[in-house]
Amino acid sequence: MDESNAALEQQLQREKDERREERFIWIFVAVMLFDVLAVEKMSYAVVLLFLLQLVFLSFVGKWLGIEAVAVPLERLFDRIMRWLPESSDSSPKK
């Protein structure tokens, strides 16, 4: 009886994990579709939009418990933020 309960719990956990991953994939596809439609109408706001989407996707990945997605997205966001110029350096000099 205990073995069958454990097997059912493990199967249920696998099913939950698969559904979470599927939800994330659908959210990711929706974001990419939005990008395709919106990027042609935007110019410089694309960079800001991309950064906001990275934050959003990493939050959704954490919320759904998909660390395999959340951690690389956070690393990418950190790398991009280090690559961008500092706000104090970009201020006009007199």
Side-chain angles (χ1 to χ4, degrees):
M1 184 72 169
D2 290 335
E3 291 176 9
S4 64
N5 284 343
L8 286 174
E9 285 180 23
Q10 188 177 23
Q11 185 179 8
L12 177 63
Q13 188 61 42
R14 253 187 274 127
E15 183 69 30
K16 285 181 179 181
D17 291 344
E18 289 173 2
R19 286 185 183 194
R20 287 182 184 140
E21 290 172 4
E22 184 180 1
R23 272 188 213 129
F24 182 82
I25 290 170
W26 279 109
I27 291 169
F28 182 78
V29 167
V31 167
M32 291 300 112
L33 181 61
F34 176 77
D35 281 349
V36 168
L37 297 174
V39 166
E40 63 187 31
K41 294 177 178 53
M42 302 172 76
S43 56
Y44 296 106
V46 172
V47 175
L48 178 63
L49 178 67
F50 178 71
L51 292 175
L52 289 173
Q53 287 174 347
L54 280 178
V55 171
F56 172 73
L57 289 173
S58 65
F59 171 75
V60 169
K62 278 186 174 181
W63 177 61
L64 292 174
I66 306 172
E67 293 297 322
V69 172
V71 172
L73 285 176
E74 287 177 350
R75 287 182 185 161
L76 178 62
F77 180 74
D78 289 339
R79 192 175 300 158
I80 290 172
M81 291 307 291
R82 277 189 257 124
W83 178 74
L84 291 175
E86 294 288 326
S87 59
S88 61
D89 292 344
S90 63
S91 62
K93 295 181 181 180
K94 294 180 182 180

